[in-house]
Amino acid sequence: MSTQTQERRERMATVTTPIVSARGVEQHFGPVHALGPVDLTIERGEFVSIVGPSGCGKSTLLEIVGALQDPVRGAVEVDGAPLDGPRRRTAIVFQESATLPWRTVLDNVAFALEVRGVGKKERRERARELVEVVGLGGFEDHYPAQLSGGMRQRVAMARAMSMEPDLILADEPFGALDEQTRMLMAEELLRVVATIGCGVLFITHSIQEAVLLSDRVLVMGRRPGTFVDEVAIDLPRPRAHAALSEPAATASQERIWAQIRSEAEVAMRSER
Amino acid sequence: MSAGTASRTPRRGAPAWVPPLVLAAVVVAAWTVTAALADSAVYPLPTEALASLRSDLGNSRFLESVADTARVLLLSYAAAIAIGSIAGMLLGLSAFWSAAVLPVVYALNSVPKIVLYPIFLLFLGIGDLSRGSFAFVSGVLPMFLIMVEATAGVSRLHLRLAASLGMSRWSLMRRIVVPSVLPSLAAAMRLCFGLTLIGLLLAEMFSGSSGLGYELLRNLSLARVENILGQVVLIGVLALVPTLALQQFELRIRNRYEEVSA
Amino acid sequence: MRRRPSVVPSYVRPTPRRVAGLPAAAWTLVLVAAAVVAVELYARSGAVSRLDLIPVSEMATRSLELLGNRDFVVDALLRSMVLICASFAASAVVGVGVAYLMARSRWVHRAVKPYVNVFYALPIFALYPVMVVMFGTGVVPIVLLATLFSVVIVISNALVGFESTPVIVTKLARSLEMTRSQQLRKILLPAALPDILAGLKLGLAYAIIAVLATEFILATTGLGQVVNRAYNNFNTVDMYAGILFVSAFALLANLALGAALRTFDWRRR
């Protein structure tokens, strides 16, 4: 871990304001009431997941926190300051890895640094380090079309890491991957987050994933989404998939599933 | 036809360029035979046409005309490509203004533009400026339309990535829009070359004092058919060579920049 | 509604439904109206000679007068329309026929395809003097040139249509032991129809352009010729009226075609 990262982690440990503080956030798309009102707080270094039925507004909330959407109502503060645009230290990981097909893996990872104006030599060095960290060593000169879905998401993760984020917003980043890759990527993410020590807002359909990864799981109800439950996950870190079979973990999963099932059933019935 | 080899190659019989060549040979043969049979002053043999072309190419005034057309063509084509693509990319990013402006440009494009040429003549006189700007307009409109559509088709995911990194519009253009639309740009460059050339030739035919189009019409009034046919062949070559080069360019760009669906 | 300044970069903001209170279509009208008004004022201002530009209102009135003029309607308008229909019909029949042959025979396909691909790179109008010398200054060069110009786009599109018939459908035809002509009528043509129609629409657009352009250069008959003659006689009023008329004609024809096509396209659900 670089000394910069170490210093930042120590600094973060002494600051106590939450990394994300959102109050009364609401979103409408024309006549459709899509989200909220919701309140959301994420402490520094905290891993928070949101699970909920399809279309309930989870992604909308993530985009609002990432300054990709303007909410109709509500205030969002990140790192103590009101949002006035996409932040340098907020990294967004999309569901379909947004890798640029005309650039090599190395140039993709270096992309965020390039946009920031970092010099060519420096950003390529940094990118090389990160490529090793995510386990893509040897693939630097490959093009995204030559990689599997999981590898492409690792490129996206390496790029996110290059921004030295204090907040990662991940919108179902493993949604397009098969089960085994998902499990590997989840463990990968745990490692990365432990290294950087950033806060994470993670959206997923998989209750298992949410319980494995998070400190807290927020359950969102059907559209317009509001939080119907909050489940603290007290499992010790560092975590592995084995932890999911512990009684505490199973209980959490069942509780979350019960909530989601009833929300989903109501949603299905009202759609008919 | 060769018998199938032991390995299962899909290639059977002649290579790809043989059938078109055979077709061309058949057409030329038919031309020769019918011309010989007709034995008419207005229906020359291919050989006669080529002979008069050779003599034309030896004529310095004719060569000046060719150079003249080439010069104006290059300038108006370069301008059409540059302005059409930049304007197209700038408009394409805005869905609202694209929807407002495009119908007008599509309408303008569907009109036979040569009919508008007299307006150019009235305002710009007879000379390089009027035919050059007309050729420019013939090429810039299609280029603009293609680039607006291509820019509007830039992946929304890439736009959100750019936004999440706080990229400025200029940075977005340079690093994401231009690479994304490069295949369409290459195709449009090929297409607009032909359109600019047609525009220039028509303008020269209508009223010019030099240039290939003018030469064609001059030979028409003098009823020198072999010269006309020879010059048509020349025009064909002048059009074909850059087009094939641009096709190769387009192929290279597509290989490098076109997104391969996983 | 309370307006807050947007924090989202402009290029990912949702498309506004209105700008300054007007939807996009209204802005289109504003643009056109502004252009018309600008030309009108410029023409009336005296800064430009009447030999170069006349007001739009006069162009429009003269156009309407032309519509009432029997000579114009019969000699110019109807003549052009007949030539357009003739070339279009010819290019439609030949185009679809050639495309069918190309779809049926690999050899024909390989022989013709490269020419279809480069065809529109070549200035076909350069052949116009050749045609005039061989066939005189009547309607033959016009129809020939226009047919030649539009047949290739019909071939391109019809070919795509014929070749995009799903393999499962041709297997079905074979399993039902259909004859060739039955296959053509009941399977190939319906499957290829949307693309054929797209090709026909383009073919008609091209035929219109080719007929009007050739008439313009040839200057002995038709709508295109009206503009040419007026220009050469320094009759600016008739020239602009003719240009306006031709433009409106081309526009309306394309719009009508587009609308007619949409009703036949089974892929538009």
Side-chain angles (χ1 to χ4, degrees):
Chain A
M1 181 185 346
S2 70
T3 42
Q4 278 175 320
T5 323
Q6 186 121 29
E7 283 167 11
R8 263 193 312 110
R9 284 196 71 181
E10 288 163 6
R11 237 183 300 127
M12 279 202 275
T14 56
V15 178
T16 49
T17 52
I19 187 75
V20 175
S21 170
R23 298 266 164 276
V25 171
E26 210 178 309
Q27 184 62 296
H28 297 249
F29 296 123
V32 177
H33 183 184
L35 170 74
V38 286
D39 296 338
L40 175 68
T41 309
I42 302 181
E43 304 294 337
R44 289 172 196 277
E46 187 184 17
F47 198 120
V48 174
S49 286
I50 303 183
V51 294
S54 293
C56 65
K58 328 188 275 292
S59 297
T60 307
L61 179 59
L62 184 139
E63 293 206 341
I64 291 176
V65 174
L68 293 184
Q69 274 192 42
D70 294 303
V72 154
R73 228 162 265 138
V76 179
E77 279 183 12
V78 178
D79 196 15
L83 270 184
D84 68 349
R87 281 178 77 242
R88 307 199 76 154
R89 306 270 303 282
T90 301
I92 305 188
V93 182
F94 301 94
Q95 175 167 22
E96 304 122 52
S97 72
T99 47
L100 303 174
W102 55 84
R103 285 174 166 242
T104 58
V105 164
L106 192 70
D107 284 332
N108 262 291
V109 173
F111 190 62
L113 295 170
E114 185 183 328
V115 165
R116 299 254 185 282
V118 173
K120 190 164 190 181
K121 190 155 174 284
E122 193 190 328
R123 68 173 186 254
R124 294 193 124 216
E125 261 173 46
R126 183 94 182 94
R128 257 179 235 284
E129 283 173 24
L130 290 168
V131 164
E132 291 292 339
V133 167
V134 295
L136 286 176
F139 288 94
E140 289 90 343
D141 293 320
H142 282 65
Y143 285 91
Q146 300 165 296
L147 305 178
S148 70
M151 293 164 86
R152 268 182 261 147
Q153 275 300 44
R154 281 194 255 163
V155 173
M157 273 177 22
R159 182 179 59 210
M161 288 170 72
S162 76
M163 295 163 68
E164 305 202 333
D166 51 17
L167 176 64
I168 292 184
L169 303 176
D171 190 351
E172 296 190 58
F174 310 141
L177 308 175
D178 61 85
E179 186 63 36
Q180 292 160 319
T181 318
R182 283 185 89 127
M183 289 169 62
L184 288 169
M185 294 293 286
E187 292 183 353
E188 189 82 43
L189 183 61
L190 281 173
R191 269 196 316 112
V192 164
V193 170
T195 317
I196 306 183
C198 54
V200 180
L201 179 60
F202 191 87
I203 294 187
T204 179
H205 267 124
S206 163
I207 302 175
Q208 265 197 350
E209 215 167 64
V211 168
L212 173 67
L213 297 170
S214 333
D215 298 314
R216 252 191 313 146
V217 177
L218 301 173
V219 184
M220 189 174 267
R222 69 191 179 286
R223 186 208 291 162
T226 52
F227 291 131
V228 298
D229 198 6
E230 179 177 318
V231 180
I233 311 289
D234 262 328
L235 302 168
R237 289 189 187 273
R239 296 184 189 166
H241 270 90
L244 284 174
S245 42
E246 303 217 351
T250 331
S252 301
Q253 288 176 69
E254 281 176 10
R255 176 172 158 192
I256 297 171
W257 171 228
Q259 294 273 5
I260 296 205
R261 188 218 259 130
S262 66
E263 291 290 322
E265 278 175 349
V266 175
M268 273 208 302
R269 258 182 273 125
S270 63
E271 264 162 39
R272 266 193 227 113
Chain B
M1 296 291 177
S2 56
T5 53
S7 62
R8 296 183 118 274
T9 52
R11 183 174 291 286
R12 269 191 307 115
W17 48 265
V18 171
L21 216 60
V22 169
L23 183 60
V26 166
V27 168
V28 171
W31 175 5
T32 315
V33 166
T34 46
L37 288 178
D39 193 24
S40 151
V42 299
Y43 194 175
L45 294 163
T47 43
E48 292 172 338
L50 287 175
S52 59
L53 177 62
R54 197 180 308 131
S55 89
D56 271 336
L57 287 175
N59 178 337
S60 70
R61 197 192 50 82
F62 179 77
L63 280 178
E64 259 178 58
S65 266
V66 177
D68 203 34
T69 299
R71 177 178 52 90
V72 176
L73 176 64
L74 240 55
L75 282 172
S76 35
Y77 176 64
I81 300 291
I83 297 181
S85 56
I86 294 177
M89 285 192 272
L90 287 175
L91 183 69
L93 278 183
S94 164
F96 184 86
W97 289 111
S98 294
V101 172
L102 278 187
V104 177
V105 183
Y106 270 118
L108 214 56
N109 200 42
S110 66
V111 169
K113 297 182 207 80
I114 187 64
V115 166
L116 301 171
Y117 185 50
I119 304 181
F120 283 77
L121 286 173
L122 285 178
F123 282 89
L124 298 172
I126 295 181
D128 282 2
L129 198 53
S130 54
R131 61 184 165 128
S133 46
F134 180 73
F136 166 77
V137 170
S138 304
V140 82
L141 288 180
M143 171 58 92
F144 176 75
L145 288 172
I146 293 178
M147 291 313 287
V148 170
E149 301 277 357
T151 307
V154 167
S155 154
R156 198 170 150 69
L157 179 63
H158 291 161
L159 291 180
R160 283 155 70 214
L161 171 67
S164 74
L165 295 175
M167 284 169 83
S168 68
R169 227 169 229 258
W170 168 238
S171 192
L172 173 77
M173 279 284 191
R174 255 184 69 198
R175 300 202 163 96
I176 296 204
V177 174
V178 169
S180 297
V181 302
L182 227 41
S184 298
L185 180 63
M189 281 175 71
R190 173 179 52 86
L191 192 71
C192 292
F193 178 77
L195 293 171
T196 311
L197 178 60
I198 285 195
L200 182 58
L201 284 176
L202 282 174
E204 286 174 353
M205 279 201 249
F206 182 65
S207 85
S209 47
S210 95
L212 268 177
Y214 165 73
E215 296 289 337
L216 266 183
L217 225 61
R218 190 166 159 272
N219 284 316
L220 176 58
S221 54
L222 296 174
R224 299 193 333 203
V225 198
E226 317 82 43
N227 298 71
I228 294 178
L229 278 171
Q231 281 164 23
V232 166
V233 170
L234 176 64
I235 291 177
V237 168
L238 278 178
L240 205 56
V241 170
T243 300
L244 290 175
L246 285 168
Q247 255 178 3
Q248 284 303 105
F249 174 64
E250 186 187 340
L251 216 64
R252 289 251 221 94
I253 296 270
R254 278 194 196 277
N255 282 338
R256 170 87 203 274
Y257 287 92
E258 198 131 75
E259 171 137 24
V260 179
S261 43
Chain C
M1 202 192 343
R2 190 169 36 118
R3 281 292 161 78
R4 307 138 62 124
S6 170
V7 300
V8 178
S10 56
Y11 46 87
V12 286
R13 270 179 229 157
T15 313
R17 231 162 290 160
R18 284 163 192 269
V19 168
L22 295 172
W27 276 101
T28 313
L29 291 173
V30 165
L31 278 169
V32 175
V36 169
V37 167
V39 172
E40 181 86 6
L41 290 176
Y42 182 53
R44 287 187 189 276
S45 71
V48 63
S49 147
R50 272 193 67 91
L51 283 177
D52 287 341
L53 184 66
I54 60 169
V56 181
S57 47
E58 281 188 39
M59 293 184 207
T61 29
R62 183 66 185 134
S63 289
L64 291 172
E65 276 175 32
L66 284 173
L67 261 184
N69 178 334
R70 194 185 162 279
D71 281 335
F72 175 79
V73 172
V74 173
D75 288 337
L77 181 57
L78 279 180
R79 211 190 199 94
S80 293
M81 286 174 71
V82 167
L83 293 180
I84 291 172
C85 290
S87 351
F88 172 63
S91 69
V93 169
V94 173
V96 176
V98 170
Y100 177 60
L101 283 174
M102 286 172 78
R104 274 278 308 276
S105 155
R106 258 188 69 86
W107 203 94
V108 171
H109 189 284
R110 288 162 74 193
V112 178
K113 193 84 200 298
Y115 296 110
V116 168
N117 285 339
V118 292
F119 187 78
Y120 286 110
L122 306 171
I124 292 302
F125 289 103
L127 285 176
Y128 140 80
V130 177
M131 304 221 172
V132 167
V133 167
M134 289 198 201
F135 304 109
T137 53
V139 299
V140 177
I142 302 180
V143 174
L144 268 182
L145 208 53
T147 309
L148 190 58
F149 191 63
S150 56
V151 78
V152 175
I153 195 77
V154 175
I155 294 178
S156 295
N157 282 275
L159 189 60
V160 169
F162 283 129
E163 289 183 334
S164 66
T165 312
V167 175
I168 189 81
V169 174
T170 36
K171 284 188 182 169
L172 174 68
R174 231 175 295 149
S175 74
L176 293 175
E177 292 182 357
M178 292 174 119
T179 67
R180 278 265 184 231
S181 90
Q182 276 177 325
Q183 254 191 47
L184 174 63
R185 273 183 302 119
K186 293 190 192 286
I187 306 269
L188 266 187
L189 272 182
L193 205 58
D195 285 304
I196 293 181
L197 287 176
L200 290 182
K201 176 185 174 194
L202 285 168
L204 184 51
Y206 281 37
I208 292 175
I209 290 181
V211 166
L212 292 173
T214 318
E215 284 178 345
F216 177 77
I217 303 265
L218 201 56
T220 54
T221 170
L223 269 180
Q225 173 260 137
V226 168
V227 178
N228 186 326
R229 201 157 38 106
Y231 170 74
N232 281 312
N233 290 340
F234 299 97
N235 187 345
T236 325
V237 181
D238 273 4
M239 185 193 101
Y240 276 110
I243 290 178
L244 188 62
F245 200 93
V246 167
S247 310
F249 176 78
L251 261 170
L252 284 173
N254 279 310
L255 282 174
L257 266 172
L261 213 79
R262 246 161 285 152
T263 58
F264 284 106
D265 192 346
W266 55 257
R267 275 198 297 228
R268 299 237 175 182
R269 268 164 249 132

mmCIF file of all heavy atoms in Angstrom, chain A residues 156-174:
data_model
loop_
_atom_site.group_PDB
_atom_site.id
_atom_site.type_symbol
_atom_site.label_atom_id
_atom_site.label_comp_id
_atom_site.label_asym_id
_atom_site.label_seq_id
_atom_site.Cartn_x
_atom_site.Cartn_y
_atom_site.Cartn_z
ATOM 1 N N ALA A 156 -12.396 -2.178 -14.953
ATOM 2 C CA ALA A 156 -13.169 -1.059 -14.409
ATOM 3 C C ALA A 156 -12.798 -0.797 -12.960
ATOM 4 O O ALA A 156 -12.698 0.350 -12.524
ATOM 5 C CB ALA A 156 -14.661 -1.353 -14.540
ATOM 6 N N MET A 157 -12.580 -1.870 -12.197
ATOM 7 C CA MET A 157 -12.208 -1.710 -10.801
ATOM 8 C C MET A 157 -10.830 -1.080 -10.667
ATOM 9 O O MET A 157 -10.613 -0.200 -9.831
ATOM 10 C CB MET A 157 -12.248 -3.060 -10.071
ATOM 11 C CG MET A 157 -13.633 -3.331 -9.540
ATOM 12 S SD MET A 157 -13.932 -4.906 -8.730
ATOM 13 C CE MET A 157 -12.380 -5.485 -8.201
ATOM 14 N N ALA A 158 -9.895 -1.527 -11.499
ATOM 15 C CA ALA A 158 -8.553 -0.947 -11.455
ATOM 16 C C ALA A 158 -8.622 0.536 -11.769
ATOM 17 O O ALA A 158 -7.952 1.358 -11.131
ATOM 18 C CB ALA A 158 -7.638 -1.673 -12.437
ATOM 19 N N ARG A 159 -9.441 0.889 -12.755
ATOM 20 C CA ARG A 159 -9.595 2.303 -13.094
ATOM 21 C C ARG A 159 -10.185 3.075 -11.918
ATOM 22 O O ARG A 159 -9.763 4.189 -11.618
ATOM 23 C CB ARG A 159 -10.478 2.463 -14.323
ATOM 24 C CG ARG A 159 -10.656 3.916 -14.765
ATOM 25 C CD ARG A 159 -11.515 4.013 -15.996
ATOM 26 N NE ARG A 159 -12.820 3.446 -15.790
ATOM 27 C CZ ARG A 159 -13.566 2.874 -16.734
ATOM 28 N NH1 ARG A 159 -13.121 2.813 -17.967
ATOM 29 N NH2 ARG A 159 -14.748 2.377 -16.454
ATOM 30 N N ALA A 160 -11.171 2.458 -11.256
ATOM 31 C CA ALA A 160 -11.775 3.127 -10.096
ATOM 32 C C ALA A 160 -10.719 3.338 -9.012
ATOM 33 O O ALA A 160 -10.649 4.398 -8.388
ATOM 34 C CB ALA A 160 -12.933 2.300 -9.553
ATOM 35 N N MET A 161 -9.886 2.340 -8.808
ATOM 36 C CA MET A 161 -8.852 2.450 -7.793
ATOM 37 C C MET A 161 -7.862 3.550 -8.120
ATOM 38 O O MET A 161 -7.331 4.210 -7.225
ATOM 39 C CB MET A 161 -8.092 1.126 -7.651
ATOM 40 C CG MET A 161 -8.901 0.049 -6.992
ATOM 41 S SD MET A 161 -8.072 -1.540 -7.114
ATOM 42 C CE MET A 161 -6.735 -1.300 -5.949
ATOM 43 N N SER A 162 -7.608 3.762 -9.394
ATOM 44 C CA SER A 162 -6.606 4.762 -9.779
ATOM 45 C C SER A 162 -7.030 6.151 -9.317
ATOM 46 O O SER A 162 -6.207 7.050 -9.181
ATOM 47 C CB SER A 162 -6.404 4.762 -11.293
ATOM 48 O OG SER A 162 -7.482 5.414 -11.935
ATOM 49 N N MET A 163 -8.329 6.328 -9.065
ATOM 50 C CA MET A 163 -8.803 7.640 -8.633
ATOM 51 C C MET A 163 -8.583 7.859 -7.139
ATOM 52 O O MET A 163 -8.924 8.929 -6.617
ATOM 53 C CB MET A 163 -10.300 7.776 -8.953
ATOM 54 C CG MET A 163 -10.571 7.770 -10.442
ATOM 55 S SD MET A 163 -12.294 7.438 -10.814
ATOM 56 C CE MET A 163 -13.064 8.925 -10.202
ATOM 57 N N GLU A 164 -8.028 6.841 -6.446
ATOM 58 C CA GLU A 164 -7.846 6.911 -4.996
ATOM 59 C C GLU A 164 -9.118 7.428 -4.327
ATOM 60 O O GLU A 164 -9.130 8.464 -3.660
ATOM 61 C CB GLU A 164 -6.640 7.787 -4.644
ATOM 62 C CG GLU A 164 -5.388 7.293 -5.369
ATOM 63 C CD GLU A 164 -4.113 7.717 -4.712
ATOM 64 O OE1 GLU A 164 -4.138 8.764 -4.037
ATOM 65 O OE2 GLU A 164 -3.111 7.005 -4.877
ATOM 66 N N PRO A 165 -10.203 6.698 -4.525
ATOM 67 C CA PRO A 165 -11.508 7.194 -4.087
ATOM 68 C C PRO A 165 -11.700 7.093 -2.581
ATOM 69 O O PRO A 165 -11.118 6.225 -1.929
ATOM 70 C CB PRO A 165 -12.478 6.256 -4.805
ATOM 71 C CG PRO A 165 -11.721 4.998 -4.990
ATOM 72 C CD PRO A 165 -10.296 5.368 -5.151
ATOM 73 N N ASP A 166 -12.521 7.998 -2.034
ATOM 74 C CA ASP A 166 -12.970 7.797 -0.670
ATOM 75 C C ASP A 166 -14.404 7.273 -0.678
ATOM 76 O O ASP A 166 -14.969 6.960 0.370
ATOM 77 C CB ASP A 166 -12.852 9.071 0.176
ATOM 78 C CG ASP A 166 -13.499 10.255 -0.495
ATOM 79 O OD1 ASP A 166 -14.300 10.051 -1.428
ATOM 80 O OD2 ASP A 166 -13.205 11.397 -0.090
ATOM 81 N N LEU A 167 -14.967 7.161 -1.870
ATOM 82 C CA LEU A 167 -16.318 6.626 -2.013
ATOM 83 C C LEU A 167 -16.410 5.889 -3.341
ATOM 84 O O LEU A 167 -16.026 6.420 -4.381
ATOM 85 C CB LEU A 167 -17.344 7.767 -1.977
ATOM 86 C CG LEU A 167 -18.806 7.375 -2.218
ATOM 87 C CD1 LEU A 167 -19.317 6.465 -1.102
ATOM 88 C CD2 LEU A 167 -19.674 8.616 -2.324
ATOM 89 N N ILE A 168 -16.898 4.662 -3.275
ATOM 90 C CA ILE A 168 -17.138 3.897 -4.511
ATOM 91 C C ILE A 168 -18.631 3.676 -4.639
ATOM 92 O O ILE A 168 -19.282 3.219 -3.689
ATOM 93 C CB ILE A 168 -16.405 2.537 -4.506
ATOM 94 C CG1 ILE A 168 -14.891 2.743 -4.578
ATOM 95 C CG2 ILE A 168 -16.854 1.682 -5.683
ATOM 96 C CD1 ILE A 168 -14.103 1.450 -4.681
ATOM 97 N N LEU A 169 -19.190 4.019 -5.793
ATOM 98 C CA LEU A 169 -20.610 3.759 -6.057
ATOM 99 C C LEU A 169 -20.661 2.636 -7.084
ATOM 100 O O LEU A 169 -20.182 2.796 -8.196
ATOM 101 C CB LEU A 169 -21.286 5.014 -6.621
ATOM 102 C CG LEU A 169 -21.184 6.264 -5.746
ATOM 103 C CD1 LEU A 169 -21.807 7.461 -6.469
ATOM 104 C CD2 LEU A 169 -21.886 6.043 -4.420
ATOM 105 N N ALA A 170 -21.215 1.494 -6.687
ATOM 106 C CA ALA A 170 -21.220 0.343 -7.583
ATOM 107 C C ALA A 170 -22.662 -0.057 -7.877
ATOM 108 O O ALA A 170 -23.396 -0.429 -6.968
ATOM 109 C CB ALA A 170 -20.454 -0.813 -6.950
ATOM 110 N N ASP A 171 -23.057 0.036 -9.149
ATOM 111 C CA ASP A 171 -24.430 -0.282 -9.553
ATOM 112 C C ASP A 171 -24.479 -1.674 -10.153
ATOM 113 O O ASP A 171 -24.236 -1.862 -11.336
ATOM 114 C CB ASP A 171 -24.910 0.753 -10.574
ATOM 115 C CG ASP A 171 -26.392 0.617 -10.849
ATOM 116 O OD1 ASP A 171 -27.000 -0.372 -10.376
ATOM 117 O OD2 ASP A 171 -26.944 1.485 -11.548
ATOM 118 N N GLU A 172 -24.787 -2.657 -9.335
ATOM 119 C CA GLU A 172 -24.834 -4.056 -9.759
ATOM 120 C C GLU A 172 -23.631 -4.413 -10.623
ATOM 121 O O GLU A 172 -23.790 -4.891 -11.741
ATOM 122 C CB GLU A 172 -26.118 -4.350 -10.526
ATOM 123 C CG GLU A 172 -27.363 -4.193 -9.682
ATOM 124 C CD GLU A 172 -28.595 -4.721 -10.378
ATOM 125 O OE1 GLU A 172 -28.608 -5.907 -10.742
ATOM 126 O OE2 GLU A 172 -29.522 -3.923 -10.557
ATOM 127 N N PRO A 173 -22.412 -4.203 -10.117
ATOM 128 C CA PRO A 173 -21.240 -4.383 -10.969
ATOM 129 C C PRO A 173 -21.034 -5.814 -11.420
ATOM 130 O O PRO A 173 -20.381 -6.061 -12.419
ATOM 131 C CB PRO A 173 -20.076 -3.906 -10.098
ATOM 132 C CG PRO A 173 -20.557 -4.090 -8.696
ATOM 133 C CD PRO A 173 -22.022 -3.845 -8.728
ATOM 134 N N PHE A 174 -21.590 -6.770 -10.688
ATOM 135 C CA PHE A 174 -21.375 -8.165 -11.080
ATOM 136 C C PHE A 174 -22.631 -8.763 -11.709
ATOM 137 O O PHE A 174 -22.705 -9.965 -11.920
ATOM 138 C CB PHE A 174 -20.957 -8.994 -9.852
ATOM 139 C CG PHE A 174 -19.836 -8.364 -9.067
ATOM 140 C CD1 PHE A 174 -19.837 -8.401 -7.682
ATOM 141 C CD2 PHE A 174 -18.797 -7.712 -9.715
ATOM 142 C CE1 PHE A 174 -18.811 -7.822 -6.962
ATOM 143 C CE2 PHE A 174 -17.767 -7.126 -8.997
ATOM 144 C CZ PHE A 174 -17.774 -7.173 -7.610
#
